[in-house]
Amino acid sequence: MRVFSASLATETNTFGPMPTGLASFKDRGHFPAGKHPDAMTLFSGPLWAARMRGADKGWQLFEGMVAGAQPSGTTTRHAYETLRDELLGDLRAVLPVDMVLLGLHGAMVAEGYDDCEGDLLARVRQIVGPKVVIGAELDPHNHLTPEMVANSDLMISFKEYPHTDVLERGLELVDICAAMVEGKVKPVAAVVDCDMIVTVHTSREPALGFVKRMQSLEGKDGVLSVSLTHGFSWGDVPEMGTKVLVYTDGDQAKADALARQLADEVIAMRDGLTVNYPSIDASLDEALAFDGGPVVLSDGADNPGGGAASDSTFILRRMLERGIANAALGPLWDPIAVRIAFDAGVGAKLAMRIGGKISPLSGDPLDVECTVKALMHDLVMTGLAGTPTPMGDCALIETNGIEIVLITLRNQAMGTDLFTQLGCDLAAKKIIVVKSSQHFYASYSKVAKHVIYAGAPGAVTLDLNTLPYKKARLPKWPITA
Ligand SMILES: [Zn+2]
């Protein structure tokens, strides 16, 4: 079997303060055809799974470009078209193929393209023709457009949030697509729009049980695959929202009925899924009142994984004003401050201006007297599913009893080794503030005695009714505007 795999992925926060250009892909990872490293990356699950299966089954695997950017604002037309055409060129160069396996996000928006994945899949279909199997692995924070469904044979989203199941879903994708090439199955799709947008933390009920419910249906009674699109509220496109996607083996009526049934189940549990976000001061009060520690505070509104800058100072400012010590915070994206810390050296005491640089959504910068505690070139954090995640040159500074990790490559807090590699003893802290909405949970829950999802201002504001939507179809529960 001749198999082609490639990836093009980012999640676009159309309200985000910074454009996503080619440099954003170079920063996170842009591997030309045949140059993917010997480790899985977040959106190369299909390629990695195809390497594993292909080795067993003697496939001829052609590895195209793999490119992913840290989520940010709208992708430039130049970046999208350049990378899209590179991927399509890689595909054309190895024709004919039996199967195309793509690692996508599903919520990439570029100038002139509200639905990058729909555009890309349509072009792939045009190149390979109607008989070649096209499969894609998606992030559940996708927009699941009709064009994406129509121009692919199978799409499978990660089921877990935090996304710890990249490889498992990639293997499922590869196996079902291979069965389709061999004529053993014929997937037919059904999509039901839940007409709402909800956060789905699978680390706790009721979503924990819903993941098991979806998996209990798969692989029997003609049901091939079930995916829940959580949706991405910060992408202002017509198709934004929570949806259910079901594939059965040739039975459209069954797919339609099951998708409807599961959508009704998700709608019925939406109040239970909704996350409570106390204000900054209420979050700090709750953390201080908690007996013991560490208490982990999620600053989801400044999560770079949702397109924020990761340099907001709202929570840090209140901690300093309130004299809260024995705390850690990170990662704060501030390459200039890192540069100054490296110049000053470990042990230096100096005045620094940190954070609050990118836009009003980051708050104002903070002027602090600090000590440089540790410096590390090219720190690599352990990311989701063990994927190595570069953070660039990093500095640990301390001010008023708060240790802060400054980074040069934007990425959210996923592994606790972001702090511990710099000598920050997380277990001894009372409060740990992480720039992350939920991916932090996989690793930080191992040290946390309590977790609070704080409601701070920022580019990934959790108060959706304040976002200036223009294209999303509204009202859409809980967005009333
Ligand atoms: Zn996601």
Side-chain angles (χ1 to χ4, degrees), residues 35-375:
K35 302 281 189 209
H36 192 274
D38 194 22
M40 188 177 72
T41 51
L42 191 56
F43 293 102
S44 67
L47 181 145
W48 198 251
R51 275 191 194 177
M52 290 171 70
R53 289 295 192 257
D56 292 344
K57 300 188 176 184
W59 295 344
Q60 244 186 307
L61 176 61
F62 301 96
E63 299 189 358
M65 175 199 82
V66 170
Q70 187 64 31
S72 213
T74 300
T75 306
T76 64
R77 178 186 286 271
H78 174 67
Y80 172 59
E81 292 181 347
T82 301
L83 295 170
R84 175 196 69 191
D85 293 348
E86 180 179 338
L87 188 156
L88 297 175
D90 293 343
L91 172 60
R92 280 194 198 91
V94 300
L95 293 175
V97 295
D98 302 294
M99 184 156 88
V100 175
L101 302 166
L102 299 175
L104 306 175
H105 184 287
M108 181 177 184
V109 180
E111 294 159 344
Y113 300 90
D114 277 348
D115 175 14
C116 291
E117 289 84 356
D119 174 68
L120 176 66
L121 286 162
R123 288 168 192 270
V124 169
R125 177 59 80 203
Q126 208 169 24
I127 290 170
V128 299
K131 290 192 179 131
V132 170
V133 172
I134 300 175
E137 186 175 34
L138 303 175
D139 185 293
H141 299 111
N142 64 65
H143 298 310
L144 198 66
T145 67
E147 291 72 22
M148 290 164 66
V149 178
N151 289 294
S152 61
D153 295 291
L154 182 72
M155 293 190 293
I156 294 181
S157 292
F158 312 144
K159 283 187 170 60
E160 301 288 351
Y161 183 35
H163 306 328
T164 51
D165 57 335
V166 178
L167 180 59
E168 290 85 345
R169 303 291 85 78
L171 288 167
E172 287 169 9
L173 179 85
V174 171
D175 288 343
I176 299 174
C177 284
M180 198 181 168
V181 172
E182 291 161 359
K184 293 175 184 162
V185 295
K186 192 177 185 330
V188 292
V191 178
V192 171
D193 188 339
C194 297
D195 202 25
M196 63 179 195
I197 178 74
V198 73
T199 298
V200 184
H201 287 171
T202 62
S203 49
R204 59 191 171 85
E205 297 294 357
L208 187 67
F210 192 74
V211 170
K212 291 190 185 121
R213 165 103 173 106
M214 288 192 283
Q215 287 177 318
S216 73
L217 295 163
E218 294 174 325
K220 57 182 179 236
D221 304 327
V223 177
L224 296 172
S225 172
V226 178
S227 288
L228 176 64
T229 282
H230 305 180
F232 185 62
S233 331
W234 301 272
D236 184 17
V237 295
E239 289 297 329
M240 181 273 286
T242 301
K243 298 170 188 178
V244 173
L245 171 64
V246 171
Y247 292 93
T248 61
D249 188 5
D251 188 341
Q252 187 68 57
K254 185 177 187 117
D256 290 341
L258 182 56
R260 180 70 256 171
Q261 183 190 334
L262 292 172
D264 288 340
E265 290 177 24
V266 177
I267 292 166
M269 70 172 70
R270 67 189 183 190
D271 287 319
L273 290 168
T274 301
V275 182
N276 176 38
Y277 298 107
S279 69
I280 293 174
D281 276 309
S283 298
L284 293 172
D285 289 344
E286 185 181 334
L288 292 172
F290 184 81
D291 186 14
V295 176
V296 170
L297 244 73
S298 152
D299 184 6
D302 193 33
N303 172 19
S310 197
D311 79 332
S312 88
T313 53
F314 300 108
I315 294 180
L316 181 56
R317 177 178 297 279
R318 282 304 290 152
M319 290 169 77
L320 291 167
E321 286 169 352
R322 292 179 58 166
I324 296 173
N326 192 22
L329 181 144
L332 197 74
W333 182 51
D334 196 332
I336 296 168
V338 171
R339 165 64 197 264
I340 292 168
F342 268 83
D343 274 349
V346 174
K349 294 181 191 304
L350 73 164
M352 284 178 76
R353 173 165 285 194
I354 57 169
K357 294 188 172 68
I358 296 303
S359 85
L361 296 168
S362 296
D364 293 327
L366 283 166
D367 290 294
V368 291
E369 295 293 328
C370 65
T371 304
V372 178
K373 305 269 294 216
L375 300 165

